[in-house]
């Protein structure tokens, strides 16, 4: 298990532009586009913060298997966006597990081993703002794919970029 400091460094590295710039149509990207499409109430517009937060709330409920109001590490790793089968194909299981740990550590603000509803909600707001590069309060599909931390972390894992970071 990596220390939290290492995880923070990795998280920073993951937000670097060189990792987020791939335009290849990979299975991971196709999945992320599908997820983006499912967030939009109005298919003609970009995703606003309300749609993003609603999407996050649905995910929180489905992750919280025992309905305790918080997500523990087991619930978090058991749940997946649909990336698991892509990970199996890519042979990047360990990198994917590392990416899950990074995401969990980012969202568990007080590091008590549970992502509580309010921590998750706050993270959704932060994640939205971070991804909204032009600061217009809408996420375009491109901003979502390039900047949403889940997409960035899992894509880095699946494409093998995270493995090379972990080896450094
Ligand atoms: Ca729970
Ligand atoms: Ca917590
Ligand atoms: Ca924007």
């Amino acid at each position: 298990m990596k220390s939290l400091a290492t995880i923070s460094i990795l998280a920073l590295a993951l937000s670097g532009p060189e990792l987020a710039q791939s335009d290849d149509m990979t299975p991971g990207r196709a999945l992320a586009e599908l997820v983006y499409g499912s967030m939009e109430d109005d298919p003609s517009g970009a995703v606003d913060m309300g749609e993003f937060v609603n999407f996050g709330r649905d995910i929180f409920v489905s992750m919280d298997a025992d309905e305790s109001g918080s997500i523990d590490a087991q619930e978090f790793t058991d749940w997946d966006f649909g990336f698991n089968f892509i990970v199996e194909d890519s042979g990047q299981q360990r990198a994917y597990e590392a990416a899950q740990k990074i995401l969990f550590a980012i969202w568990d603000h007080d590091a008590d081993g549970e992502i509580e509803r309010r921590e998750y909600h706050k993270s959704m707001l932060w994640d939205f703002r971070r991804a909204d590069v032009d600061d217009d309060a809408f996420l375009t599909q491109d901003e979502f794919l390039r900047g949403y931390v889940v997409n960035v972390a899992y894509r880095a894992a699946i494409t093998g970029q995270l493995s090379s970071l972990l080896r450094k």
Side-chain angles (χ1 to χ4, degrees):
M1 176 76 189
K2 300 261 173 191
S3 73
L4 195 60
T6 314
I7 285 171
S8 305
I9 291 163
L10 281 171
L12 278 178
L14 284 176
S15 64
E18 71 281 3
L19 282 177
Q21 294 297 323
S22 169
D23 284 326
D24 299 342
M25 185 44 96
T26 57
R29 184 188 169 98
L31 176 66
E33 287 188 3
L34 208 67
V35 171
Y36 181 84
S38 74
M39 273 194 295
E40 276 186 293
D41 294 334
D42 166 14
S44 64
V47 168
D48 64 24
M49 195 178 272
E51 287 170 331
F52 190 69
V53 166
N54 283 342
F55 159 77
R57 192 174 296 143
D58 291 347
I59 287 178
F60 188 93
V61 168
S62 74
M63 277 197 289
D64 184 17
D66 66 359
E67 299 179 12
S68 66
S70 64
I71 312 293
D72 62 26
Q74 191 62 46
E75 287 171 331
F76 190 76
T77 47
D78 284 350
W79 199 86
D80 95 279
F81 266 100
F83 282 98
N84 277 353
F85 78 98
I86 299 171
V87 171
E88 278 168 27
D89 281 354
S90 71
Q92 295 289 344
Q93 191 65 37
R94 280 191 55 223
Y96 179 69
E97 286 165 12
Q100 286 184 314
K101 285 200 179 97
I102 291 167
L103 287 173
F104 191 87
I106 291 172
W107 288 342
D108 178 16
H109 302 151
D110 62 3
D112 70 345
E114 299 264 349
I115 300 170
E116 283 161 51
R117 200 184 299 275
R118 64 188 161 74
E119 288 176 318
Y120 188 77
H121 182 75
K122 204 182 274 181
S123 296
M124 289 300 290
L125 302 182
W126 288 349
D127 293 345
F128 183 96
R129 292 203 185 99
R130 196 181 302 125
D132 181 20
V133 177
D134 65 0
D135 210 18
D136 68 349
F138 288 97
L139 280 194
T140 62
Q141 177 171 282
D142 195 48
E143 286 174 328
F144 177 73
L145 295 179
R146 286 170 189 270
Y148 180 42
V149 64
V150 172
N151 291 329
V152 175
Y154 287 171
R155 187 166 61 240
I158 291 163
T159 59
Q161 290 168 308
L162 188 58
S163 300
S164 48
L165 273 176
L166 289 169
R167 274 197 295 271
K168 276 179 192 162

